Amino acid sequence: MGVFTRFKDIIGSNINSMLDKAEEPEKMIRLMIQEMEETSVELKAACAGLMADQKRIARELSQIGERAELWNNRAKLAMEKGREDLAREALLEKLSAQRLSEGLERERDRFAVLIEQAREDIEQLEAKLESAKERQRSLAKRHVRADQRIKARSNVSRVQSSDVMMRFDQFEQRIERMEAEAELAAPRQNRNLEQEFALLEGGDEVEEQLASMRSAAKE
């Protein structure tokens, strides 16, 4: 496929529509960009060739112009010397150079049109290429966001898994059991302390009652 045929296909393509239908849009846009870049290189090379030909024609026109001027001067010289036959020959050479110059001028103009068209094609392709690269950057960002969402969902799923929830429940039950044990331990300690103080506080009363019981027994 020629470069200009590929260029027309690229410019006529709807990138967004093609990517929306593609199974692997990232791979497809990468291949499209590669083809655009290769086509751009070929278009620029073709344009450079046209410009080189245009410069060659410009040099030839300059040389032919000098040649036509030379024969014109010779024709004048021949007429001044009374050599009309030589003047005629000189004018024929001048006329031949002028006709050749006219043909080269038409070719030069044609190359100018081709070069202008080539430059416009390059500008269009570069604009299309930039659009494709922007779409590629957009796809890359979407891919990153999609990965982040997948990882987030994976973390949520892992947290919500039965194994994790079971371990969490076991940990919660363990804490509740420790709290219950602490609650049961505190009152028992308080009761023992209260009993000791009660014995101390009631010691005298017991001794008095024992003394009374001894006196009654003696009587």
Side-chain angles (χ1 to χ4, degrees):
M1 183 185 296
V3 59
F4 293 105
T5 301
R6 288 204 308 274
F7 166 76
K8 291 179 181 178
D9 290 342
I10 291 171
I11 295 301
S13 65
N14 187 323
I15 295 177
N16 292 331
S17 177
M18 293 172 67
L19 291 177
D20 290 340
K21 297 176 183 178
E23 294 182 1
E24 298 181 80
E26 291 181 337
K27 179 179 179 180
M28 185 173 187
I29 191 66
R30 187 168 62 252
L31 293 174
M32 292 174 69
I33 288 174
Q34 181 180 348
E35 183 175 7
M36 288 182 188
E37 289 176 339
E38 291 175 354
T39 303
S40 177
V41 170
E42 293 184 30
L43 280 177
K44 290 177 179 178
C47 184
L50 292 172
M51 295 173 69
D53 287 337
Q54 187 183 48
K55 290 180 179 180
R56 174 183 56 79
I57 292 172
R59 288 195 301 271
E60 291 180 3
L61 277 171
S62 177
Q63 293 170 359
I64 291 173
E66 292 175 359
R67 180 180 173 185
E69 182 65 21
L70 173 63
W71 285 112
N72 184 63
N73 291 335
R74 285 179 174 178
K76 291 180 180 179
L77 177 61
M79 286 298 292
E80 290 175 358
K81 300 297 183 179
R83 294 292 304 272
E84 186 174 335
D85 56 331
L86 288 178
R88 182 178 292 104
E89 293 295 332
L91 290 174
L92 287 173
E93 290 294 334
K94 173 187 173 183
L95 181 60
S96 176
Q98 287 176 336
R99 287 176 179 173
L100 182 58
S101 177
E102 290 171 358
L104 287 174
E105 287 175 352
R106 288 192 296 269
E107 190 173 357
R108 180 195 58 190
D109 295 341
R110 183 174 64 86
F111 271 100
V113 172
L114 291 174
I115 291 169
E116 183 63 26
Q117 182 62 53
R119 286 174 172 170
E120 290 178 3
D121 290 347
I122 291 170
E123 289 179 2
Q124 289 185 45
L125 182 59
E126 289 182 344
K128 194 89 171 183
L129 178 59
E130 181 57 34
S131 176
K133 288 182 177 179
E134 179 61 32
R135 185 63 191 273
Q136 184 184 44
R137 289 190 287 269
S138 176
L139 286 173
K141 291 179 182 177
R142 287 171 55 189
H143 182 77
V144 171
R145 289 195 295 268
D147 279 348
Q148 291 174 343
R149 288 197 297 268
I150 291 173
K151 290 179 182 177
R153 285 198 297 268
S154 176
N155 292 335
V156 172
S157 299
R158 187 168 61 253
V159 170
Q160 292 177 342
S161 67
S162 58
D163 184 56
V164 173
M165 295 303 294
M166 183 174 65
R167 289 200 300 270
F168 180 80
D169 290 341
Q170 291 174 349
F171 181 70
E172 187 176 24
Q173 290 173 5
R174 181 181 176 186
I175 292 176
E176 290 176 349
R177 186 163 57 251
M178 292 173 64
E179 290 175 345
E181 290 175 355
E183 184 177 350
L184 291 173
R188 183 166 61 251
Q189 292 174 354
N190 291 337
R191 282 198 301 272
N192 292 337
L193 190 63
E194 289 176 359
Q195 287 175 358
E196 290 180 8
F197 274 100
L199 289 174
L200 292 175
E201 293 172 353
D204 293 342
E205 185 179 351
V206 170
E207 292 298 328
E208 290 176 0
Q209 290 182 6
L210 286 173
S212 178
M213 290 176 67
R214 291 192 193 98
S215 296
K218 290 179 180 181
E219 293 177 357

